[in-house]
Structure formats: C-alpha cells, structure tokens
Amino acid sequence: MTARTTVYLDYAASAPERRESLAAERAYEESPIAGANPNSLHTPGREAARALDGARRDIARCVGGGFRPSDVIFTSGGTESNNLALLGLSRGARQRDRKRTRVVLSAIEHDSELDVTGVLRDRGFEVTLVKPGRDGVVSRAALEDALGPDCALVSVMSANNETGVVQPVSELAAAAHAAGALFHTDAVQAFGRIPLDISQADAVSLAAHKLGGPVGVGALLVRGRVPLAPQSFGGGQESGRRAGTQDVRGTLAFAAVARACCGSIETVRPQVAALAEKLYQRICAEGTGIVPTTTTTVDEQRLPGMVSVMVPGLDSQSLVLGLDERGYAVSAGSACSSGSLDASHVLTSMGIGRDQALGSLRISFDERVAEEDLETFAAELISLVKQTKARHQ
C-alpha cells in the first residue's frame, strides 16, 4: 500500500528544513569543534566561539538596519526572544527612568507577547493594547493615542503571523521614540521573506525554523545603547544578557539559511506573491463561499506566501481536519493557539465578527511549493466547503 503524500502548506508555523541548513549542520558535526563549548578556553572552545561570532556577523548583516554583530543575542527561538524583549526592555527602561511604568502592545501580537502581559502587571507595569484597523494595520495615529510620558516600551510585529499584513514599523518606532519609549518588533514571520523596515527599532526578534532552519534557535537583536535587564542567570553567556551554553550547530545553520533567504528576496518574493494572489483569486471567487480576511491583493504590504481566508458559517477545526484527510496541511491561524476553540484574537481585534472569524484558515508556503499543488489544493478546499455546507443545510 502506497503511503499518502501530504502537501504541506503551513510554513508560517514551521517551514521544512532547507538544504543550506542541513549542510551547515553536517559540516559542523564533521568539524573539530563539534560538541565543543564556545565558552571554554581550550583551542576547540575558542574555535567554536569564533564560529559563533561568524554566525553573529551573518545574522546582523542579513537583518540590516544598522545592527552590529555584538547586538545579536542567540536564544532558543521566537518565543524566548519575545519574552526577553518585553520583560528585559521594559525593566531596563524603568531602571533608567522610574516613571516609565507602561508597556504598549498591538492587539494582534503573537501569544508569546500577549501571554506576558500578566507577568508585566505582576512586575508593576500597566499594559495597553492598541487595535488595528479593519485592514489589519496598526496606524501611527492609533499608537500615538496610547502613548504618554509613562510609556517604557512599545512592541508591534513587523508582519502579522495570521493575516500576513505588513506593519509600518518605522512610523510606529518614530512615534514611540517621540514619546521617549523604546521600540521592539517581532520580525519572526517577516525576516528572510521581505526587507525589514527596522532602522528605527531598538530590538528585533527572529526565529530560524520559520525560514527553514532548525527548530530551537532564534535571536534577539538589541542595540548596544539600549538598556536590557537579563531574565536568566548562571554563566554570563551572550555578554551577560542571556545565560546558557549556546547551540553552535543551530546558530551556524540559522546563519546559512539567513544568507540564502535574505540574498534571494528580490527574486523569490514576487514569484511567491504571484502564487499567493492566484490562489486568492481562485478560492475567493464568487460562489465559493470563501472570503479574504483583508484583500486578495498580495502587494508590498503583505507577506508573499501567506493566504488568509474565512468560511462564514463553518468552523476552522472541521476545515483543517477535512483538508488533512484529503492530504493538505494548513492551519486555522497561529500554531501556538491551535488548541483554542475560540475565534482568532487577531481577526476579532480587526473588527471581524466572531462567527466569521471562527471559520478562518491560514495557507502559507514559500518558493518550494509547486503551483500544481496549490491548484489541486484550491479545488479540494472549494469542494470541501461546498460539501460541508450542504450537509449543514
């Protein structure tokens, strides 16, 4: 019996590992520094530290925006990077200016930020959430309404992990700085897919596995002048900002993938955007019962390989499982919230009704997915929606 082949369309949750990443990991395992602690004084340790610094230089170069290699803090992934940014930057800002006791987040942030709000309040911070417009964009005017002399930190993601909407990060950072606050952006979904607009940002979060690097590796870039209170202790690694022995193999693989993806954005982005727009037009055509969460246009204000739609009257879970049975892997939104039966907080904060938001789907991919697979997926999704609605009538 031939095993069923699944077409994987959930790259925004975690992308399949790229050959550049696998090659870097193999090269590391075959090298004299394999297993050496980069904080040791012996020769293998010093060579491992040099390799780690090389990865730091590569990541800083790919991120751009004036960040330096010394600004790169390696972490275990996007969640740790976001946790460290919110808790460390807010405390650092308050230590520098005691009246800075409020943190402002967009209402569409990832759970790795929104779930930190309780901890922030326990530590004496007030938290304010800023809603986006119906287009999914957090405007400068909306942010400025929430700012004040008590604001320590503002955090708004570079591109949303459910809708793919790109945020005006430079404008938002300028508004935060005008109020005397620090600005952080979660660029986990945007890095390697679009050029980052982070020249005004004080800190940026990244994760390797979203690009096709290994799971369990990420980075937080924090400019040298920015106060960051460490949140883990015991070892003094990463210049005392994040304790724990660094994963040299993982960071080298991350750097290899970053070089490959960031170096090909100009050619890959329009190619993938065209595939996404074609998929939108097919599945959101009149009579399919499927509607976009924002628009079917995939321009520079959207991530190129993310298609966000809703099926009013149906629930996401049934659709995801139905597509899985047909050999297609998609998600209802953030994979970190896949166990939730409630509507997406991203969509409801945009003003989308709960009944509509409960039927959301996120289809995500990069240039490694064949156009033919997207075409067959579209046919299967339309068929599934029609059959499911017919059963419910």
Side-chain angles (χ1 to χ4, degrees):
M1 185 176 183
T2 304
R4 185 188 71 182
T5 300
T6 297
V7 176
Y8 186 75
L9 298 173
D10 199 16
Y11 282 55
S14 193
E17 194 162 2
R18 291 180 180 270
R19 63 177 183 273
E20 292 88 353
S21 177
L22 294 169
E25 291 188 90
R26 284 194 298 271
Y28 169 82
E29 292 295 350
E30 296 169 0
S31 74
I33 66 171
N37 190 318
N39 305 288
S40 298
L41 292 178
H42 49 61
T43 298
R46 294 198 304 273
E47 290 179 353
R50 282 194 287 272
L52 193 68
D53 286 341
R56 223 182 287 279
R57 287 193 296 273
D58 287 343
I59 296 296
R61 186 180 305 113
C62 289
V63 169
F67 281 95
R68 302 173 299 174
S70 59
D71 297 332
V72 179
I73 305 168
F74 286 117
T75 68
S76 63
T79 292
E80 184 189 351
S81 294
N82 284 341
N83 281 198
L84 177 56
L86 264 60
L87 297 173
L89 292 171
S90 59
R91 185 178 177 188
R94 187 172 61 183
Q95 287 175 337
R96 192 167 63 179
D97 184 348
R98 300 302 296 178
K99 74 173 181 292
R100 301 284 173 176
T101 58
R102 192 159 57 89
V103 175
V104 176
L105 309 176
S106 85
I108 58 172
E109 294 303 301
H110 188 268
D111 286 345
S112 59
E113 293 202 21
L114 295 179
D115 286 354
V116 178
T117 57
V119 180
L120 287 167
R121 292 187 180 103
D122 289 343
R123 296 185 179 184
F125 289 94
E126 180 184 350
V127 179
T128 301
L129 299 182
V130 178
K131 290 186 177 183
R134 178 58 184 84
D135 58 359
V137 176
V138 178
S139 69
R140 177 168 182 163
L143 176 60
E144 287 176 334
D145 286 343
L147 295 174
D150 62 339
C151 187
L153 172 67
V154 173
S155 183
V156 181
M157 57 185 14
S158 292
N160 187 258
N161 56 298
E162 293 187 29
T163 64
V165 173
V166 176
Q167 303 299 324
V169 170
S170 283
E171 291 182 24
L172 301 177
H177 291 159
L182 298 175
F183 184 87
H184 162 259
T185 187
D186 170 0
V188 165
Q189 292 291 343
F191 181 55
R193 295 189 175 99
I194 62 174
L196 294 183
D197 182 22
I198 43 82
S199 60
Q200 300 299 313
D202 298 297
V204 181
S205 294
L206 311 174
H209 71 113
K210 303 296 187 179
L211 293 178
V215 174
V217 182
L220 175 66
L221 283 72
V222 181
R223 297 190 193 277
R225 59 179 172 75
V226 173
L228 177 76
Q231 300 300 303
S232 59
F233 307 92
Q237 293 90 350
E238 300 299 286
S239 300
R241 298 171 296 183
R242 191 266 187 180
T245 303
Q246 302 93 332
D247 177 3
V248 179
R249 174 176 53 189
T251 56
L252 292 175
F254 185 14
V257 167
R259 292 194 302 269
C261 292
C262 293
S264 61
I265 287 176
E266 287 188 9
T267 56
V268 169
R269 183 183 186 182
Q271 171 191 340
V272 178
L275 291 174
E277 190 160 316
K278 187 174 181 179
L279 180 59
Y280 263 123
Q281 292 168 355
R282 174 78 187 281
I283 63 178
C284 295
E286 186 176 355
T288 63
I290 305 167
V291 297
T293 55
T294 53
T295 175
T296 58
T297 301
V298 185
D299 55 17
E300 291 187 353
Q301 304 310 310
R302 299 284 291 279
L303 290 180
M306 194 176 293
V307 172
S308 175
V309 297
M310 301 176 293
V311 186
L314 300 184
D315 68 276
S316 317
Q317 188 175 44
S318 297
L319 292 169
V320 170
L321 294 176
L323 287 166
D324 185 58
E325 289 178 356
R326 296 176 182 225
Y328 297 91
V330 302
S331 71
S334 171
C336 299
S337 301
S338 60
S340 173
L341 298 179
D342 204 358
S344 160
H345 72 274
V346 172
L347 302 186
T348 55
S349 70
M350 289 165 55
I352 295 173
R354 184 174 182 276
D355 288 344
Q356 277 194 308
L358 282 170
S360 65
L361 287 177
R362 180 185 69 183
I363 305 105
S364 53
F365 50 90
D366 64 23
E367 76 280 4
R368 293 174 287 172
V369 172
E371 183 174 2
E372 294 77 14
D373 287 334
L374 293 175
E375 290 174 352
T376 57
F377 164 76
E380 291 290 349
L381 173 58
I382 293 169
S383 170
L384 175 63
V385 170
K386 289 181 177 178
Q387 289 178 15
T388 307
K389 286 192 171 184
R391 286 198 304 268
H392 289 181
Q393 288 177 349

